[in-house]
Amino acid sequence: MQNDFTYCPNCGSKNIKFIDGRKWGCSDCGFRLYNNVAAAVGIIITDKNGDVLFEVRAKEPRKGFLAIPGGFCNPDETAEEAAIRECNEETGIVPDGLTYLCSFPNTYDYKNIRYKTCDLFFVAAMEKQSQECLLSRLHPQDSEVTGFVTKPVKNQQDIRNLPLAFESTRKTLALWLEKKNIYE
């Protein structure tokens, strides 16, 4: 999948081309449009047993697959603000605090457009609750989430067995496992 324009958005010429895998250029008017990376966030939330909270995605890309709470940053918003906002929108809960964990590049294919993202991941400080108590507090955002599950993430095999929507989340959970004692 490559993002292509048929016409230059500035002059309407058909002489627009994707250059160097990162920008479009029009040879008629000199217009340049850069394919900049979008910032996105995700939060690892665990229950009292250390199981990780996952959302079941309600829309493409990867509808029906598992993801952690998160989404795209809005203009003029910090990654921390975006993570808290997205978590609240998608789950109905607000984390008590966040600790930055890592970032990974990701590809987000949506409606025939390929978005390259830099996904920033956090670990949420939450009052540790049982699985039942945590799940009972959650309210899915209908347009984004069809439900919630908690899953054990105790080793690499657990991660491999998860039907995760995004490779960046898989890499993040592997790193989180290595550093888990820091966040407990």
Side-chain angles (χ1 to χ4, degrees):
M1 177 182 297
Q2 179 179 319
N3 302 338
D4 283 324
F5 288 105
T6 307
Y7 298 97
C8 172
N10 187 54
C11 73
S13 166
K14 289 186 175 186
N15 294 322
I16 190 161
K17 301 213 180 319
F18 197 56
I19 306 165
D20 301 328
R22 59 179 298 252
K23 67 183 175 225
W24 294 269
C26 176
S27 58
D28 289 343
C29 72
F31 176 79
R32 297 287 182 266
L33 176 63
Y34 287 85
N35 190 22
N36 292 324
V37 172
V41 294
I43 301 179
I44 296 173
I45 298 172
T46 57
D47 65 16
K48 175 163 99 168
N49 298 326
D51 292 348
V52 176
L53 174 68
F54 292 98
E55 304 171 341
V56 179
R57 290 185 54 80
K59 67 178 192 177
E60 296 296 345
R62 313 283 288 167
K63 181 179 180 177
F65 284 77
L66 300 181
I68 57 177
F72 287 100
C73 296
N74 286 337
D76 301 319
E77 184 177 54
T78 67
E80 293 83 358
E81 290 167 340
I84 291 168
R85 175 187 52 76
E86 284 285 347
C87 185
N88 186 31
E89 287 174 2
E90 293 180 355
T91 69
I93 59 175
V94 176
D96 299 328
L98 300 174
T99 302
Y100 175 77
L101 176 61
C102 62
S103 66
F104 284 105
N106 195 27
T107 300
Y108 190 88
D109 293 326
Y110 182 67
K111 294 191 176 186
N112 297 318
I113 301 287
R114 174 160 284 173
Y115 298 91
K116 291 296 192 172
T117 65
C118 180
D119 297 350
L120 302 125
F121 292 95
F122 299 88
V123 176
M126 300 285 291
E127 177 186 331
K128 296 299 180 194
Q129 301 172 13
S130 69
Q131 175 188 29
E132 296 78 22
C133 186
L134 175 62
L135 292 174
S136 71
R137 290 183 52 208
L138 302 174
H139 303 285
Q141 183 182 19
D142 291 339
S143 63
E144 301 285 330
V145 179
T146 60
F148 301 99
V149 296
T150 58
K151 298 281 188 180
V153 180
K154 310 290 186 214
N155 54 52
Q156 295 299 325
Q157 187 62 44
D158 287 345
I159 296 170
R160 281 190 292 276
N161 290 339
L162 291 169
L164 294 172
F166 304 110
E167 187 61 27
S168 60
T169 303
R170 191 172 308 283
K171 291 176 181 176
T172 296
L173 289 171
L175 182 63
W176 173 74
L177 262 182
E178 290 176 24
K179 297 182 173 194
K180 196 163 118 175
N181 60 341
I182 296 170
Y183 302 105
E184 293 179 340

